[in-house]
Amino acid sequence: MGGALMDDALTDDGLTDDDLCLLLAEVQRFQRKSVQPLAARPERTIDAAQLASLTRQATEFGLLNPHPATGSGIWEDTGGQGWVRFSSAALRTVAQAGAGVAFHFHQLALGDYVRRRLGRVCGPPSVVCLQGTFGLARYSLARLLKSKPLDDDDRAVLKDYFFTPDASEPKPLLFQAADDWHQLLVPCLDERCRLSWSAFARDDLDLQALPHSHGLNETLVWQWQPGDRPPRRLAAEHAAAGHEAGLATYLAAFQLNALALIAIAWGAVQQGYDKAREYAALRRQGGAPIQQHAAVRLMLARAAGVLRTVSLLCDRLACLPVARESLGTVVAVRGEAHDLLCAAANESLQTLGGAGYTCEAGLEKIVRDANHLRLLCGTPDELRMFLSEWENGA
């Protein structure tokens, strides 16, 4: 595999259907050749060195593109049609071998995307902190992104959610990422609730790596506790653009992040379903494979129905423009899809009976990963609260 193949698929009109098939075939080969062997023993976590090796390989053949030259990597806006479709499908493909690997690739690619939006075409590996300190800022985030008037409650909630450099007592920020990054990109809110972006060197941050809270064991939960003197912003990376540009960049990153979380969860659950189908064909009970028993058929059918439904939704969402008018639809789908995917993951686990709960089978990890992805950057109920305000007038 080589970067030239990924780059040559790019045309002036963006990515055609034939281009997408060609690129996704390369991603599939990478997944089978490089990711699957490392993830073959689900009771063993892919370590930092192995993850760094996968990142180098993904960069070499263009799945990740931190370079100034235009390619067709994940979340790389090529100016034409198809780039979101490819990115979503590529993450789904990688996640079918390792959800944590796919999430790591997404984080690095989203960092490159935000940096390009801010006028920086290259830089050190970066991750983006979108999640906020408390929940999803309830209704207030929707009001900010729709440029509605903000009241005192909105301002208070938003200052809990976003990093506020001028706050007298800065609150800690939590974000999920692997260990292979050097710069943190952060949306910042000033006293007037105007949004801008800043970049901070990792070495300048007072960071604590927290124990794995639930899933995505290949990554870490990082807590940054700003002190009385916030770290210096990297002047070359600081977004000098005004509030509207900062808001538009956040809205785009928020939408792409939502698409990624659905796609990665789908890939993980598809992997679990495939494992359950394989087990049900081999495990015999009462003189026949258990896949012939009505209860097992129903469990597998429910999982298959969810996977087909969410796959169609992923394809439809990936065709929407990355713009304000699409965000309500993306949030609505994500608010419903994760609960369905988590239920489907549990159906696959239950197909294995007690064996499904063992680390060696891999289903318990898939359930944990799906649950973890459901909680990042807005739980289903928080997304519904966001949507209720988003749908509330212009």
Side-chain angles (χ1 to χ4, degrees):
M1 291 180 291
L5 178 59
M6 300 288 285
D7 297 344
D8 289 345
L10 183 63
T11 68
D12 291 339
D13 297 324
L15 298 174
T16 66
D17 288 342
D18 289 342
D19 295 333
L20 287 170
C21 290
L22 178 69
L23 294 177
L24 291 174
E26 284 297 299
V27 177
Q28 184 71 53
R29 278 192 283 271
F30 167 71
Q31 184 243 61
R32 290 176 176 170
K33 177 183 176 181
S34 299
V35 184
Q36 279 190 6
L38 295 179
R41 298 284 299 273
E43 73 276 13
R44 298 180 180 177
T45 300
I46 296 175
D47 62 32
Q50 293 170 327
L51 198 57
S53 175
L54 291 174
T55 302
R56 287 192 297 271
Q57 293 176 57
T59 303
E60 286 170 1
F61 85 93
L63 184 59
L64 298 174
N65 182 26
H67 310 298
T70 300
S72 52
I74 296 174
W75 300 142
E76 187 172 4
D77 187 349
T78 59
Q81 298 297 316
W83 65 281
V84 179
R85 291 170 59 200
F86 167 72
S87 301
S88 176
L91 290 173
R92 289 160 65 184
T93 299
V94 175
Q96 288 180 64
V101 176
F103 182 82
H104 171 59
F105 287 175
H106 156 63
Q107 271 282 52
L108 293 179
L110 189 66
D112 291 333
Y113 174 82
V114 168
R115 203 167 46 228
R116 288 187 175 96
R117 286 282 301 239
L118 300 179
R120 301 291 297 178
V121 294
C122 62
S126 305
V127 294
V128 181
C129 179
L130 292 175
Q131 194 165 335
T133 305
F134 298 110
L136 199 63
R138 300 200 296 271
Y139 316 105
S140 302
L141 180 61
R143 296 176 65 81
L144 176 71
L145 295 182
K146 293 196 79 172
S147 299
K148 290 184 176 182
L150 303 176
D151 59 26
D152 290 342
D153 286 342
D154 291 327
R155 294 186 178 89
V157 171
L158 289 168
K159 288 175 183 177
D160 277 343
Y161 179 71
F162 287 107
F163 173 58
T164 51
D166 301 325
S168 57
E169 297 182 4
K171 296 178 174 61
L173 269 70
L174 294 173
F175 59 98
Q176 188 99 14
D179 197 35
D180 189 16
W181 62 277
H182 300 281
Q183 186 172 274
L184 182 65
L185 302 172
V186 184
C188 304
L189 203 70
D190 66 13
E191 288 299 316
R192 297 169 59 187
C193 286
R194 295 176 304 185
L195 201 66
S196 63
W197 285 78
S198 292
F200 301 100
R202 175 172 171 169
D203 292 343
D204 284 349
L205 305 179
D206 183 11
L207 291 170
Q208 181 181 4
L210 303 178
H212 295 121
S213 56
H214 191 56
L216 299 180
N217 290 353
E218 297 80 4
T219 65
L220 298 168
V221 177
W222 299 90
Q223 177 176 280
W224 170 31
Q225 177 61 67
D228 296 333
R229 297 177 59 187
R232 62 184 179 86
R233 303 181 189 183
L234 301 179
E237 297 285 351
H238 178 55
H243 168 70
E244 288 302 320
L247 200 65
T249 299
Y250 180 86
L251 191 148
F254 188 87
Q255 180 175 338
L256 296 182
N257 188 63
L259 294 177
L261 295 176
I262 302 171
I264 296 168
W266 183 94
V269 176
Q270 179 68 54
Q271 181 191 15
Y273 173 72
D274 291 340
K275 288 177 178 287
R277 285 292 302 267
E278 180 181 1
Y279 179 87
L282 296 174
R283 179 76 167 93
R284 299 180 69 84
Q285 191 174 43
I290 65 171
Q291 67 179 2
Q292 297 182 16
H293 298 328
V296 174
R297 284 175 177 266
L298 284 174
M299 286 191 292
L300 292 174
R302 285 193 288 263
V306 168
L307 286 165
R308 284 178 177 266
T309 299
V310 177
S311 178
L312 289 172
L313 291 172
C314 284
D315 291 341
R316 179 67 184 92
L317 293 180
C319 294
L320 298 177
V322 181
R324 182 177 298 184
E325 59 267 24
S326 305
L327 188 59
T329 301
V330 174
V331 168
V333 171
R334 186 171 173 237
E336 303 304 321
H338 279 291
D339 282 344
L340 295 173
L341 288 167
C342 288
N346 188 61
E347 298 282 9
S348 296
L349 181 146
Q350 295 298 330
T351 301
L352 276 68
Y357 292 90
T358 64
C359 295
E360 292 79 4
L363 272 296
E364 64 84 29
K365 182 181 188 300
I366 288 168
V367 168
R368 288 189 291 107
D369 286 347
N371 286 337
H372 197 100
L373 290 161
R374 182 176 68 92
L375 301 176
L376 291 179
C377 207
T379 66
D381 280 344
E382 288 170 334
L383 292 165
R384 291 171 188 127
M385 292 173 71
F386 177 101
L387 184 65
S388 70
E389 180 62 31
W390 192 265
E391 297 293 306
N392 186 22

